[in-house]
Amino acid sequence: MNWLYVPAVLLFAVFSIYPLISGMGLSLTNWNGYSPGRAFVGFDNYARLFSDDVFRTALINTFIYGVGSTIIQQILGLGLAVVLDRVVRGASLLRAIIYLPVMVSPVVLGTMYYLIFRYNNGALNDLRALWGADQVAWLADASAGVTIIVIVNSLQFVGISMVIYLAGLQAVPNEYYEAAELDGAGWWQRFRNITVPLLQPAFATSVVLNLIGGLKLFDVIQVLTGGGPGTSTHSVSTLIGQTYFGNQAAGYAASMGVVLFVLIAAATFVLNSALNRKRVQL
């Protein structure tokens, strides 16, 4: 046994395995999060989840945030990578500007977008007022709120996809493109038959990372809408926070966390398996 692995294994056990097992145990109790006493309730919390309309809405929103953000980030990230992979003046500066939001706290970025979309004195409504248009309560509508959250999350983290795709593009040998060009293949044919197949490893990495990030989205939702109006824009993560701290139902919140963990783990496993089968070796 290599003893150099021990510190890493201990850290993983303390900060990952123990909290997971502890959370599973809490999900079987009625603990309120504060009092020392707790009672074992078995799977009552999980049974309650299936009849909870608020949790069902949060679960649907979670899939929308995860899948919607992932799709947008792949399209924009790949498009930006293809453009910036070419030798153009200022490409390095543009890459840095696009990646910059990734390094900004989601709370800070969410606050900035809140100042844009809020009803009173919001930048967008102020611009509409200059044109003589009526103000719009962007964040007071459930559908609009969910859409805005997806867009904001996508724009913040599109730089990650761009960097991953740039690395993938730069790993493709130029000889493939030169040979295809000699055979008379146009740009679209080279992109479809060479670039896309050889970008499968980058695509798999980008999709999995973006999907996991979207499924556990919390900060942006909390800052932009707080889960409102009502509970219509909650994700499972924000609902867990409200259930634990607002409703003082730690056991029930823990059951939500376990369900979210299982969903993310299952989605990651299935997606990885599907994408790895399509990889093309250079």
Side-chain angles (χ1 to χ4, degrees), residues 79-92 94-95 166 169-170 177 186-188 190-191 195:
L80 290 169
V82 170
V83 172
L84 296 178
D85 184 52
R86 298 178 177 274
V87 181
V88 296
R89 180 176 296 180
S92 297
L94 288 174
R95 294 174 189 175
L166 272 172
L169 287 170
Q170 293 172 2
Y177 295 113
W187 177 88
W188 174 247
R190 296 197 300 271
F191 178 77
T195 305

Side-chain angles (χ1 to χ4, degrees), residues 153-258:
N153 183 60
S154 301
L155 293 179
Q156 178 173 13
F157 295 106
V158 69
I160 295 177
S161 295
M162 179 195 70
V163 169
I164 293 172
Y165 285 126
L166 272 172
L169 287 170
Q170 293 172 2
V172 178
N174 287 327
E175 290 81 0
Y176 291 177
Y177 295 113
E178 293 170 357
E181 193 171 359
L182 288 175
D183 289 338
W187 177 88
W188 174 247
Q189 291 175 310
R190 296 197 300 271
F191 178 77
R192 185 184 62 186
N193 298 316
I194 298 176
T195 305
V196 172
L198 294 180
L199 277 182
Q200 284 298 326
F203 179 74
T205 302
S206 179
V207 167
V208 170
L209 287 177
N210 293 154
L211 183 63
I212 292 174
L215 290 176
K216 59 188 182 73
L217 193 61
F218 176 86
D219 312 69
V220 172
I221 304 170
Q222 195 65 33
V223 174
L224 277 175
T225 66
T231 57
S232 59
T233 60
H234 267 307
S235 67
V236 174
S237 294
T238 56
L239 185 60
I240 289 172
Q242 178 180 302
T243 303
Y244 191 115
F245 298 105
N247 302 341
Q248 297 184 10
Y252 190 45
S255 67
M256 295 180 187
V258 172

Side-chain angles (χ1 to χ4, degrees), residues 3-280:
W3 292 100
L4 294 176
Y5 292 127
V6 173
V9 172
L10 287 176
L11 288 173
F12 180 73
V14 171
F15 293 104
S16 296
I17 302 300
Y18 172 73
L20 177 61
I21 296 175
S22 177
M24 290 179 175
L26 287 177
S27 71
L28 303 177
T29 71
N30 66 349
W31 188 43
N32 62 12
Y34 300 98
S35 64
R38 65 188 72 173
F40 179 78
V41 296
F43 292 97
D44 287 356
N45 287 327
Y46 293 97
R48 179 181 167 190
L49 286 178
F50 290 103
S51 59
D52 189 339
D53 291 335
V54 175
F55 177 75
R56 189 179 299 111
T57 299
L59 191 60
I60 293 172
N61 288 342
T62 298
F63 278 106
I64 294 174
Y65 297 143
V67 176
S69 297
T70 300
I71 292 173
I72 294 174
Q73 286 167 326
Q74 303 325 300
I75 295 173
L76 292 180
L78 180 57
L80 290 169
V82 170
V83 172
L84 296 178
D85 184 52
R86 298 178 177 274
V87 181
V88 296
R89 180 176 296 180
S92 297
L93 178 61
L94 288 174
R95 294 174 189 175
I97 292 173
I98 295 169
Y99 191 80
L100 184 62
V102 176
M103 298 184 288
V104 178
S105 167
V107 174
V108 174
L109 199 71
T111 302
M112 293 170 57
Y113 278 102
Y114 174 74
L115 296 175
I116 293 174
F117 289 107
R118 68 179 180 177
Y119 184 76
N120 291 320
N121 300 319
L124 200 54
N125 275 335
D126 286 348
L127 288 175
R128 289 177 60 86
L130 292 176
W131 301 330
D134 294 333
Q135 290 182 316
V136 177
W138 303 99
L139 300 175
D141 178 75
S143 299
V146 170
T147 302
I148 289 171
I149 290 169
V150 170
I151 294 173
V152 169
N153 183 60
S154 301
L155 293 179
Q156 178 173 13
F157 295 106
V158 69
I160 295 177
S161 295
M162 179 195 70
V163 169
I164 293 172
Y165 285 126
L166 272 172
L169 287 170
Q170 293 172 2
V172 178
N174 287 327
E175 290 81 0
Y176 291 177
Y177 295 113
E178 293 170 357
E181 193 171 359
L182 288 175
D183 289 338
W187 177 88
W188 174 247
Q189 291 175 310
R190 296 197 300 271
F191 178 77
R192 185 184 62 186
N193 298 316
I194 298 176
T195 305
V196 172
L198 294 180
L199 277 182
Q200 284 298 326
F203 179 74
T205 302
S206 179
V207 167
V208 170
L209 287 177
N210 293 154
L211 183 63
I212 292 174
L215 290 176
K216 59 188 182 73
L217 193 61
F218 176 86
D219 312 69
V220 172
I221 304 170
Q222 195 65 33
V223 174
L224 277 175
T225 66
T231 57
S232 59
T233 60
H234 267 307
S235 67
V236 174
S237 294
T238 56
L239 185 60
I240 289 172
Q242 178 180 302
T243 303
Y244 191 115
F245 298 105
N247 302 341
Q248 297 184 10
Y252 190 45
S255 67
M256 295 180 187
V258 172
V259 170
L260 180 61
F261 167 76
V262 172
L263 288 175
I264 293 177
T268 303
F269 175 78
V270 171
L271 200 56
N272 260 329
S273 299
L275 292 174
N276 286 335
R277 285 198 296 267
K278 296 182 179 181
R279 289 195 177 187
V280 177

